Each structure stands twice: as C-alpha cells, then as structure tokens.
Amino acid sequence: MNTEPSFDRTGSLSGKTILAISGSTRRDSWNTRLLGIMAAELGQRGLAISEHSFREQPLPLYDPDAEAETGVPEGVIRLRRLISKSDGLLVACPEYNGSVTPVLKNALDWASRPVGGEAGLAPFRMKPVLIVGTSIGPFGAVRAIGHLRAILGKMGALVMPEDLAVPNAATAFTDDGLADGATAAAARRAAAVFIDQLAEARV
C-alpha cells in the first residue's frame, strides 16, 4: 500500500500496513483465530492488515548447507520482503512444550539470513511487534510468548511490553470474539499500545 499515513486527533494513524503471522499450521487453530480477532481490532483502528500463512506457504527446514549450495529459498525472500514493507508485525504464538513452535522459529531463522547484500536482521530492526497467544492451559502461552519476545528482541525488533496471553483456549472464544470481558479489554489495551508505538515511529 503506497498511500501516505495520516493521524487522527487521538494520535492513532491510518494507512499503515501490519503483517499478521500465525505460528500454527493447524487447521482451525485457536491461535490463528486469535490472530484474526486482533487483526480485526487493529483494522477497525485504520490499519491495513496483510496475512502470511505457513500452512499455505510452507518453508523448508533451515539447512546451512542447502543455503550455501542453492541460496535462500524464494519463499523466504518473499517473507523478508513482506516484513520489510510492513510497518509492524502481529504474531500469534502457540506454545509447544513450553516454547515457540518449530514452524515459527524456523521461519525466523530463515528470515534472518542476508539476501541480496541486505543484512540478515535488517527487516527486523526497530520493527514494532505485538505478540499474542493462547493455550489450553491456565497460563495462555505465556512461556512461549516470553521466549518469542527474547528471540525477536535479540533480532532487533521493538517488541511491545503489552502482549496478550489468552488462557483456556477451548472455552475462550465465541462466534463474535473473546468470551471473557476482561480478556477482551486486555486485547483492546494491547492494540492501543501497539497503535501508540506505530504513531511514535512515524514522527
């Protein structure tokens, strides 16, 4: 999207593009559902949302020997371009054995590789990132979110202090969104913090 971003009187902005990524490839994933809810929340505030699915666009397992022989795969190059062109990232982070899913970690490892003379971490530097996640347990993927926060921070991204961990995924959703009022309020608060950071990044 090439339109010039604009501010309203509350300090929010429109015309910015957010890349939404789910760390799950499971059909009917709760985390992908949460991603959609948060994407809609941000869209209502004037942001353009694009989504990238690892289910629909899978990446090979990172292999340094394969990279040396044939270069960075085209799918990785496309992902890097999407990240570079976005004004921020919205990432849904499922929790596998207390940590980040393999598909998400693999994608980040690939996307951090240098391409065409561009430094490997260039797409991530000071990129605002909002992390959300849900799990079937009472902690709502909070351990995986913490691990992803550390990974993205090491890569130079600007990870929002206000994330969203949704517990008890099996009962957390309704047809219209989040079942629990406090959780829905936390989602709005996280979106607002993200909006504020995007506005500051524009100045």
Side-chain angles (χ1 to χ4, degrees), residues 5-89:
S6 59
F7 292 84
D8 66 22
R9 293 182 179 179
T10 65
S12 64
L13 56 140
S14 61
K16 291 272 189 176
T17 299
I18 303 303
L19 180 62
I21 299 173
S22 175
S24 175
T25 56
R26 185 174 68 84
R27 189 178 285 112
D28 300 323
S29 161
W30 285 312
N31 277 275
T32 302
R33 188 170 182 178
L34 178 60
L35 185 77
I37 291 170
M38 291 303 295
E41 179 71 28
L42 294 171
Q44 290 173 3
R45 296 168 186 246
L47 295 171
I49 311 296
S50 63
E51 295 188 25
H52 185 81
S53 168
F54 297 127
R55 179 179 178 83
E56 297 177 1
Q57 302 181 59
L59 300 177
L61 186 65
Y62 177 64
D63 182 346
D65 292 334
E67 180 188 7
E69 292 171 5
T70 60
V72 175
E74 183 59 34
V76 174
I77 295 174
R78 286 196 300 270
L79 177 59
R80 278 178 60 90
R81 287 174 183 159
L82 288 172
I83 295 170
S84 294
K85 291 179 179 179
S86 70
D87 297 293
L89 303 178

Side-chain angles (χ1 to χ4, degrees), residues 103-167:
V103 68
L104 182 54
K105 182 61 167 63
N106 182 63
L108 292 174
D109 288 342
W110 263 127
S112 69
R113 301 304 300 154
V115 175
E118 182 182 54
L121 296 178
F124 296 92
R125 288 178 184 149
M126 299 305 292
K127 183 78 65 177
V129 181
L130 173 58
I131 303 175
V132 301
T134 186
S135 70
I136 60 173
F139 300 110
V142 68
R143 291 168 296 187
I145 289 172
H147 290 179
L148 182 58
R149 175 183 295 280
I151 293 166
L152 287 169
K154 178 64 171 65
M155 294 171 71
L158 187 61
V159 184
M160 297 299 97
E162 193 87 12
D163 52 44
L164 178 67
V166 178

